[in-house]
Amino acid sequence: MYKKTIIVTLVLILSILNYSIYQKEHQLKNATTVILPLAPVDPRSMMQGDYMRLNYALSREVRRELSIKKDMPKEGFVIVHLNDKHIASFINLYRGEELNPNELKLPFRVKNYNQVSFGGNTFFFQEGNEEKYQKAKYGLFKLSGESMILQSLLDENLTVID
């Protein structure tokens, strides 16, 4: 009986894990592409290796709008306009209104010290490649429903940095 319980539990855990991986892969292949302009920060961590802490130009706009409110929400949505290259620009905070064509609502979270996160505030890369990633100007996201995944970083020509 003990072995059966362990096997069933293990199969259940692996099934949940595989389904989660499947969902992320499906989102990366089929979701809406959104590109956010970056304001990168210091790329290096003694404990974690090489990575880039990311700050988005859109975060400043959201923080400015949220500072007007007395009770800052921990999460919400921001309305952005997508140009023909899928680059997002701030319109307003989402308050339940209808969206116009070429507008999307992006989920955000407010973290400690009023940091606004859009789903990826760090990007890890192989040691020794920091010079390549210092050229990053945009973050390429995949948006599906209320979930955003940071897929890659782009240079000023919107080329994926490998």
Side-chain angles (χ1 to χ4, degrees):
M1 183 68 177
Y2 181 72
K3 285 183 179 181
K4 286 182 181 179
T5 304
I6 290 175
I7 290 172
V8 168
T9 304
L10 184 60
V11 167
L12 182 63
I13 290 170
L14 290 174
S15 297
I16 292 170
L17 181 63
N18 281 325
Y19 182 69
S20 175
I21 292 169
Y22 167 78
Q23 283 181 314
K24 300 286 188 216
E25 288 292 329
H26 181 75
Q27 183 173 351
L28 288 172
K29 289 178 185 172
N30 301 311
T32 304
T33 298
V34 178
I35 299 173
L36 298 181
L38 290 178
V41 190
D42 184 30
R44 188 79 179 149
S45 170
M46 294 294 271
M47 299 301 283
Q48 297 172 304
D50 286 347
Y51 80 106
M52 183 174 283
R53 213 170 29 149
L54 303 174
N55 185 22
Y56 303 98
L58 189 60
S59 297
R60 289 186 296 245
E61 302 287 341
V62 172
R63 274 195 312 272
R64 186 171 38 82
E65 285 294 316
L66 290 175
S67 68
I68 297 169
K69 295 181 164 190
K70 289 183 179 182
D71 296 326
M72 187 178 292
K74 294 289 183 201
E75 56 187 38
F77 293 93
V78 61
I79 301 172
V80 297
H81 175 268
L82 289 187
N83 69 12
D84 59 337
K85 295 180 181 180
H86 296 273
I87 298 174
S89 57
F90 178 80
I91 294 178
N92 207 345
L93 295 178
Y94 179 71
R95 296 177 179 92
E97 64 269 27
E98 289 252 349
L99 299 178
N100 295 319
N102 291 335
E103 290 181 358
L104 292 174
K105 62 179 189 172
L106 305 182
F108 71 86
R109 287 195 175 142
V110 178
K111 296 186 175 189
N112 54 339
Y113 306 111
N114 298 329
Q115 289 179 316
V116 178
S117 171
F118 291 99
N121 282 1
T122 55
F123 187 84
F124 291 87
F125 49 85
Q126 189 173 9
E127 189 173 337
N129 287 326
E130 62 272 357
E131 197 170 302
K132 279 198 292 188
Y133 288 99
Q134 287 176 349
K135 298 174 185 175
K137 300 293 181 197
Y138 300 95
L140 175 68
F141 286 85
K142 291 295 186 166
L143 172 69
S144 178
E146 296 184 4
S147 173
M148 278 182 54
I149 297 175
L150 176 62
Q151 184 175 12
S152 55
L153 296 181
L154 308 174
D155 64 15
E156 68 272 356
N157 300 317
L158 301 179
T159 304
V160 174
I161 300 172
D162 274 333

